[in-house]
Amino acid sequence: MGSPKIIHVETAAIRAVGPSLLVKVWAGDEYGIGECYPSAPASGIHQIVLNLEDQLIGEDPRDVEKLYEKMRRWNIFTGGQAGAVLTAISGIEMALWDLAGKLQNVPVYRLLGGAFRKKIRLYADCNAGTVDAAAHHTGEDGGILGEEGDEQYVAVAKEAIARGFDAIKLDVDDVTGPLHRDFFNGAISPREHDAMVARAAAVRKAVGDEIEVAVDMHGRFDVPSSIRFARAVEPFNLLWLEEPTPPENLDALAEVRRNTNTPICAGENIYTRFDFKPLFEKRAVDYVMPDVAKCGGLSEGKRIANMAEMEYIPFSPHNVSSPIGTIAAAHVCAAVSNFTVLEWHAIDMPHWAEFVRYSGGEVITDGHIELTEAPGLGLELNEEAALEHRHEKGGIPFFDRA
Ligand code: MG
């Protein structure tokens, strides 16, 4: 038998948690599956994936790192540094790892250098149920700040603990709500500040001191408001405060970090090792959270984790993917020393686990994913479940079924 060769790339748009794009890369009669997230049809990521097929046809799918660099460098003049192009490349790269593992009959974590651990710890994002990125943080999901929502967070947090999770995350930003003065201005009003602190306080009080609690601000606020809030929540001993300021200016984030004892986490809106480099150099974070379905893929995620490890910074990836992207992220978490906890964003979505048949049985048990010896990512796509949750907008083919 000669070397395997890539013959075809296919996509399907689904709503798993939010809008995801599934990617199949074929070599002979075997395929690998990957996921691009976020991938709203308007982003055009499916078309970028299909266009990238030209750079893959005839290549050996086991040469994953070479093919990643080929796709990235081919697009260096058209956005190969960040954004939709990198998200498209991430899903393909994930599919290549799955395919490479299947062809060599080894799990992906072995191809990444082997496992420090096979039981991967998750935290439950308690703001589950968000389907549209556009509808995210409009008050529909977390409840209107100051009026409702705190009890919902407490209830979901308790549900997570009952299911075996020992770490949770909640959102405190509601910039379209009645307490925020101006959507385009990142200043937190006094009543808004109090309501945000009250929400964090209510959850901490409800879950007790032994559960780790992270708080997300989605990069919406200015420096003085962020510092004031970060200091106000210091008594709640947060796991981290996530993205207080927008992702473009890492000096501003570093200034927030320097002015509070609350640990800072960021990285879900940063792409590739090159853009993570200044995050570490500027000492802007205590935790780093690349998203492997977006930042470049598994090997890029691993490189970022290795860079963080040199700074003694823990690696805690962002993740809002279906089980495909989530299990793929778990393989990276297995293969790096500084992994701390991986995000899971679907606690109130019973259909989430149905997208795959997992070699380990249940995808999540007691707040963990246990990786197996099965080849590739160790999962099979449940295509009927994916079809049932197909994203109808944008006319994206459901694989080759049209
Ligand atoms: Mg976040």
Side-chain angles (χ1 to χ4, degrees):
M1 179 187 139
S3 296
K5 289 194 172 12
I6 296 170
I7 56 169
H8 190 37
V9 175
E10 296 175 65
T11 60
I14 61 165
R15 291 172 177 275
V17 182
S20 284
L21 188 78
L22 302 184
V23 178
K24 280 184 187 174
V25 177
W26 286 88
D29 56 5
E30 188 71 88
Y31 75 83
I33 185 90
E35 178 170 4
C36 308
Y37 184 89
S39 184
S43 68
I45 289 171
H46 69 285
Q47 196 57 57
I48 300 171
V49 170
L50 295 176
N51 292 348
L52 286 165
E53 184 190 60
D54 285 350
Q55 286 150 40
L56 300 170
I57 297 293
E59 294 276 9
D60 187 328
R62 298 171 299 181
D63 295 328
V64 182
E65 303 245 13
K66 178 192 118 177
L67 296 177
Y68 170 70
E69 281 303 315
K70 184 178 177 184
M71 292 186 285
R72 204 176 65 75
R73 294 186 198 196
W74 210 284
N75 287 282
I76 213 79
F77 298 100
T78 49
Q81 299 78 22
V85 171
L86 248 297
T87 305
I89 290 173
S90 301
I92 294 173
E93 197 255 18
M94 192 185 294
L96 289 171
W97 279 118
D98 185 39
L99 181 53
K102 285 174 175 170
L103 291 169
Q104 295 169 91
N105 203 32
V106 285
V108 168
Y109 62 80
R110 290 225 187 283
L111 297 177
L112 294 174
F116 285 90
R117 65 198 72 76
K118 293 184 193 169
K119 208 171 159 184
I120 305 304
R121 178 173 169 247
L122 305 172
Y123 69 87
D125 186 298
C126 295
N127 187 31
T130 306
V131 170
D132 264 314
H136 201 20
H137 317 303
T138 55
E140 290 166 32
D141 35 24
I144 296 168
L145 190 69
E147 293 180 20
E148 58 190 72
D150 296 3
E151 287 143 42
Q152 183 186 325
Y153 275 107
V154 166
V156 179
K158 286 186 169 170
E159 166 70 17
I161 295 163
R163 289 202 215 173
F165 290 87
D166 62 4
I168 57 159
K169 189 164 86 184
L170 64 142
D171 299 342
V172 292
D173 55 309
D174 182 13
V175 292
T176 57
L179 301 184
H180 192 76
R181 289 197 185 110
D182 178 346
F183 176 80
F184 294 102
N185 187 304
I188 297 173
S189 76
R191 284 180 59 213
E192 184 181 14
H193 171 90
D194 290 347
M196 291 164 72
V197 175
R199 177 172 288 181
V203 172
R204 170 52 85 201
K205 186 167 177 235
V207 303
D209 291 338
E210 289 181 12
I211 298 297
E212 292 189 308
V213 177
V215 168
D216 196 352
M217 297 172 82
H218 298 96
R220 300 186 185 276
F221 300 105
D222 63 24
V223 168
S225 297
S226 296
I227 292 172
R228 184 162 175 254
F229 179 76
R231 286 180 173 169
V233 294
E234 282 171 3
F236 309 136
N237 189 27
L238 298 184
L239 175 60
W240 67 65
L241 184 63
E242 183 171 321
E243 284 200 301
T245 51
E248 304 92 346
N249 186 333
L250 300 176
D251 291 304
L253 184 64
E255 188 180 345
V256 174
R257 180 175 175 264
R258 275 196 305 276
N259 282 283
T260 180
N261 293 327
T262 297
I264 299 296
C265 180
E268 70 171 273
N269 291 308
I270 301 174
Y271 301 79
T272 84
R273 61 198 183 274
F274 300 101
D275 283 349
F276 276 87
K277 186 167 176 265
L279 190 75
F280 301 125
E281 288 169 347
K282 293 172 190 295
R283 310 298 301 182
V285 292
D286 298 280
Y287 290 80
V288 69
M289 53 171 344
D291 190 323
V292 302
K294 172 176 178 178
C295 75
L298 280 70
S299 44
E300 200 67 22
K302 187 183 177 214
R303 280 189 283 270
I304 293 161
N306 294 155
M307 291 160 74
E309 192 264 336
M310 289 193 292
E311 308 292 336
Y312 312 122
I313 288 173
F315 173 68
S316 51
H318 179 260
N319 167 56
V320 192
S321 288
S322 81
I324 295 164
T326 304
I327 291 167
H331 280 264
V332 179
C333 297
V336 300
S337 65
N338 52 334
F339 164 68
T340 299
V341 69
L342 168 65
E343 181 165 12
W344 180 58
H345 214 293
I347 189 160
D348 67 348
M349 306 182 92
H351 70 271
W352 180 85
E354 292 169 14
F355 289 104
V356 298
R357 283 176 282 270
Y358 183 50
S359 53
E362 294 288 322
V363 178
I364 297 172
T365 308
D366 285 335
H368 292 75
I369 292 175
E370 192 133 19
L371 296 175
T372 72
E373 294 293 332
L377 295 174
L379 58 85
E380 267 179 66
L381 173 66
N382 179 352
E383 206 153 314
E384 296 317 307
L387 185 60
E388 201 175 310
H389 296 277
R390 178 179 185 173
H391 202 316
E392 298 288 352
K393 279 186 189 164
I396 301 170
F398 187 84
F399 300 121
D400 280 355
R401 296 193 199 188

